[in-house]
Amino acid sequence: MTIVVACGAFKGSLTAIEACHHAAEGARRAHPDTDVVVRPVADGGGGSLEVMVAGGAREVRVTASGPTGESVETSFAAIDPDTAFVEMADACGLLRLPGGLMRPLESSSRGVGEVLLAALRSGRGNIHLGIGGSASTDGGTGMLSALGARFLDSSGTELPDGGGALVNLDRVDLDGIDPAVRASRILVACDVDNPLLGAMGAARVYGPQKGASAEQIEDLEAGLTRLVEVLRGQGLDVDPDAPGSGAAGGVGFAARELLDASLDPGFEVLGTLTGLEDVVSAADLVVTGEGRLDDQTMHGKTPMGVAALCRSHAVPVVAVCGRLDLGADRVAEAGFAAAAALTEREPDLARSMANAGALLEEVTAEVVSRILA
């Protein structure tokens, strides 16, 4: 018998790798003679790079610009001689803001462009780009600047980084984009379908999560609108309404419209790179989970991706989580044979999070025993 453990991160408690380790220990406790295969899962956001390296990719260190310009040490994952995975969150995402202080108008996507360029210059022309967890709303202009583009005001001066400066944009010069970019294939791991502009756009939906006040949201919206106006004025047929254009503060827009990238669901991109489907198809039971199972889970988060894979191969799947906010009918609707939460054993949320590893082992052992009884 083979059990596959494919958990995502329990945010605030366990990384995806740590969660899989503890869940695997619980599965072995329930069935000591079972072959337990571990495959941490991610969706392109924070922790995806770590998942790729744990899956066998080689970590290549890079110095890049953090979201507000400070130098940070980050990496890309070298998967093979032609393929690399780049994570935006680790280069210039929210987790890289100095002191956690959000600066929505100044934060830039430049760092992810620098890492992308480093991966291309290593000879890898097939780039998988994870853009979750961004700190910026700059329409991807920082990323493009790192690749050789220039964003100029009416006097011909380059604009400072950040979405707040885009209201002064007068001209975009794309001639300097590194030839390696044009020769590459870029696949963006993206889990949102928001447009760039409007009520459901990058600034108005995600700006508050990045610390933007109501006034700053309107400034960012105006800047993104100006970016589209200038590009169209220069004869470029860009579509800010295309699904995913609002991802990562507009990085989705810049990647698709100006780098000819394609956008695919993050879970699918990472799952393909880590060979998740191959191990799931050969399993007798799959254990998945993340910090919280709730209504948001039902709209395409990582456990639902695992459940869909299991359904396609007729493999039963159970979910473990920190907190369960779905009734039994919704658990079944999601495709899980059972679900169990750490808070069922430790109702105090703070204590549950502090002891997440040990609790996860206990909960996994119990639910696996129940299903395989």
Side-chain angles (χ1 to χ4, degrees), residues 327-338:
D329 57 338
R330 297 279 277 166
V331 168
E333 179 186 341
F336 301 117

Side-chain angles (χ1 to χ4, degrees), residues 76-258:
F76 66 83
I79 299 167
D80 60 40
D82 188 52
T83 308
F85 176 81
V86 174
E87 180 191 301
M88 183 175 185
D90 195 62
C92 54
L94 288 166
L95 61 88
R96 289 293 195 173
L97 285 165
L101 180 63
M102 296 185 182
R103 292 170 57 185
L105 299 182
E106 296 86 11
S107 291
S108 165
S109 59
R110 179 179 292 272
V112 73
E114 293 170 345
V115 181
L116 194 157
L117 190 59
L120 290 172
R121 288 178 173 171
S122 75
R124 292 169 172 85
N126 186 26
I127 306 297
H128 294 77
L129 174 61
I131 61 173
S134 68
S136 52
T137 311
D138 68 353
T141 54
M143 174 184 71
L144 294 170
S145 295
L147 298 175
R150 301 170 71 224
F151 296 87
L152 310 170
D153 65 17
S154 58
S155 68
T157 302
E158 287 197 50
L159 295 177
D161 282 350
L166 290 178
V167 290
N168 297 316
L169 182 65
D170 183 70
R171 185 166 64 89
V172 178
D173 179 2
L174 301 174
D175 292 342
I177 289 184
D178 194 291
V181 178
R182 298 302 185 197
S184 67
R185 175 180 178 270
I186 300 173
L187 175 62
V188 177
C190 169
D191 277 332
V192 302
D193 58 5
N194 302 72
L196 181 66
L197 305 174
M200 297 303 296
R204 294 199 170 112
V205 172
Y206 299 107
Q209 299 174 14
K210 300 174 185 183
S213 66
E215 182 179 355
Q216 289 172 328
I217 288 169
E218 295 311 310
D219 290 341
L220 292 168
E221 179 75 7
L224 296 175
T225 301
R226 181 60 182 163
L227 174 62
V228 172
E229 290 173 349
V230 170
L231 290 171
R232 286 177 169 170
Q234 294 181 197
L236 295 173
D237 183 21
V238 296
D239 183 7
D241 294 326
S245 293
V251 168
F253 168 78
R256 175 169 40 218
E257 303 296 333
L258 302 177

Side-chain angles (χ1 to χ4, degrees), residues 45-59:
S48 297
L49 179 65
E50 184 182 25
V51 166
M52 291 303 308
V53 172
R58 181 170 63 88
E59 187 175 15

